[in-house]
Amino acid sequence: MKTFFNVEDLGDLAQALQEAREVEKNRYGFQHLGRNKTLLMIFFNNSLRTRLSTQKAAMNLGMNVIVLDVNAGAWKLETERGVIMNGDKSEHLLEAIPVMGCYCDLIGIRSFAGLTDREFDYAETIVNQFVEHSGRPVFAMETATVHPLQAFADLITIDAYKPCRHPKVVLTWAPHCRALPQAVPNSFAQWMNAADVELVVTHPQGYELDPKFVGNATVEYDRRKAFVGAHFIYAKNWSCPGVTRPADYGKILTEDAAWTVDSASMALTENARFMHCLPVRHGLVVTDEVIESPRSLVIPEAANREISAEVVIKRMLETL
Ligand SMILES: CCC[C@H](NC(=O)CCC(=O)O)C(=O)O
Ligand SMILES: NC(=O)OP(=O)(O)O
């Protein structure tokens, strides 16, 4: 596996879930794969879970790990081609990337959407330069449009806690005070569409996700209707994806508090589990009562990030 961005990169999902169960029970059993191999983790943005879980996964596999926070200590990077670099950027990505590739065997990258130019973001312009110029296999640790390590961990969690064979999973938009990327909901929808679940996506008008991710999932604008019968409620904020309102790409269209996930919303469900990728804004996205309730899975969901990362890195090491 040379790149990991989308659900199809993992192949058969049932097999991947079986492998995740095996890794969870025997997470130190594959150290021969990573011995004398180096993972370089590159962060253009903040992180807690991805940073810790991916480093843990690589160490489980016997790897050496280097973590680079590009905006803290490295030279400020120019990402545009054909510019005259007479400003505050000292190094071009086109040299920095192959140089970074010299010091590692595998690259994980986090580079969030800029949320100003939809074409630039949805072409995955930044991360594709790493794929093209690093000479190394590359996996996403949340890029402009996807967060597959999170979605794989979400699927592992749903598979472990589902009360029936074909659970109803609701991806619900929730309000936030900042304009956030669509990467998490994009990947969640993509992976749920590939899994054996009934996916319903609910959000206000204007927040329609890109068709290549939402696929044939049911889109329900009435959140109360969406919540009825749900076994899992996956809450996340995202900014306007620019699908039905291209001029509003990356913007906040509403902060309607009626979309905050509260106990009354959860009471509409089939005693559903609550999920969120974290970090989460209490009081905006979800009430304290819901996220702290026994039905909340946010901690085991975060714990499964170690497992999803270990399966992915293991697969990449096996094909080096
Ligand atoms: C895993 C989620 C990462 C990121 N979340 C944020 O940027 C939250 C920032 C905030 O709440 O201030 C996002 O929404 O894509
Ligand atoms: N869920 C997730 O990716 O968290 P971080 O942004 O803290 O890595």
Side-chain angles (χ1 to χ4, degrees), residues 167-202:
K168 178 177 178 182
V169 177
V170 175
L171 167 61
T172 179
W173 179 92
H176 199 285
C177 53
R178 294 182 57 208
L180 298 186
Q182 298 98 39
V184 168
N186 283 348
S187 286
F188 186 76
Q190 184 188 70
W191 285 66
M192 290 304 116
N193 279 327
D196 187 13
V197 306
E198 177 198 350
L199 174 64
V200 174
V201 182
T202 187

Side-chain angles (χ1 to χ4, degrees), residues 69-201:
D69 283 297
V70 170
N71 300 316
W75 296 103
K76 201 160 185 188
L77 295 173
E78 176 56 65
T79 58
E80 301 287 325
R81 299 187 66 137
V83 297
I84 295 171
M85 291 173 56
N86 56 7
D88 63 346
K89 296 174 183 163
S90 311
E91 181 157 24
H92 203 286
L93 214 48
L94 291 178
E95 284 83 54
I97 292 174
V99 166
M100 289 187 254
C102 296
Y103 306 130
C104 65
D105 300 285
L106 201 48
I107 292 177
I109 178 160
R110 169 165 283 196
S111 176
F112 287 175
L115 295 178
T116 52
D117 180 339
R118 188 183 201 277
E119 194 179 338
F120 185 90
D121 287 343
Y122 274 72
E124 288 288 4
T125 310
I126 298 288
V127 75
N128 280 333
Q129 292 186 69
F130 281 83
V131 174
E132 195 178 334
H133 301 298
S134 70
R136 303 296 177 198
V138 176
F139 62 89
M141 299 195 295
E142 187 175 342
T143 59
T145 64
V146 291
H147 195 356
L149 287 175
Q150 182 63 53
F152 185 19
D154 296 332
L155 178 59
I156 292 167
T157 308
I158 288 169
D159 187 57
Y161 286 89
K162 64 187 182 186
C164 57
R165 186 191 60 77
H166 188 70
K168 178 177 178 182
V169 177
V170 175
L171 167 61
T172 179
W173 179 92
H176 199 285
C177 53
R178 294 182 57 208
L180 298 186
Q182 298 98 39
V184 168
N186 283 348
S187 286
F188 186 76
Q190 184 188 70
W191 285 66
M192 290 304 116
N193 279 327
D196 187 13
V197 306
E198 177 198 350
L199 174 64
V200 174
V201 182

Side-chain angles (χ1 to χ4, degrees), residues 46-51 110 142 147 150 277-279 305:
N46 294 339
S47 169
L48 173 75
R49 278 144 294 272
T50 304
R51 180 187 300 268
R110 169 165 283 196
E142 187 175 342
H147 195 356
Q150 182 63 53
C277 62
L278 304 181
R305 287 292 308 274

Side-chain angles (χ1 to χ4, degrees), residues 213-282:
F213 295 110
V214 74
N216 298 319
T218 303
V219 176
E220 174 57 69
Y221 294 106
D222 179 339
R223 63 187 297 274
R224 295 177 59 80
K225 200 170 158 191
F227 274 53
V228 172
H231 298 102
F232 294 91
I233 297 293
Y234 191 93
K236 184 68 182 74
N237 170 268
W238 64 89
S239 58
C240 176
V243 174
T244 54
R245 294 174 54 166
D248 290 325
Y249 173 64
K251 291 193 180 130
I252 296 173
L253 304 176
T254 176
E255 295 185 51
D256 182 359
W259 286 83
T260 300
V261 181
D262 59 11
S263 298
S265 315
M266 296 303 285
L268 297 167
T269 71
E270 197 65 30
N271 192 25
R273 295 290 192 161
F274 176 80
M275 294 177 72
H276 190 284
C277 62
L278 304 181
V280 71
R281 300 289 192 114
H282 289 222

Side-chain angles (χ1 to χ4, degrees), residues 4-10 146 148 187 190-191 213:
F4 176 68
F5 293 101
N6 296 294
V7 63
E8 56 267 16
D9 296 333
L10 264 194
V146 291
S187 286
Q190 184 188 70
W191 285 66
F213 295 110

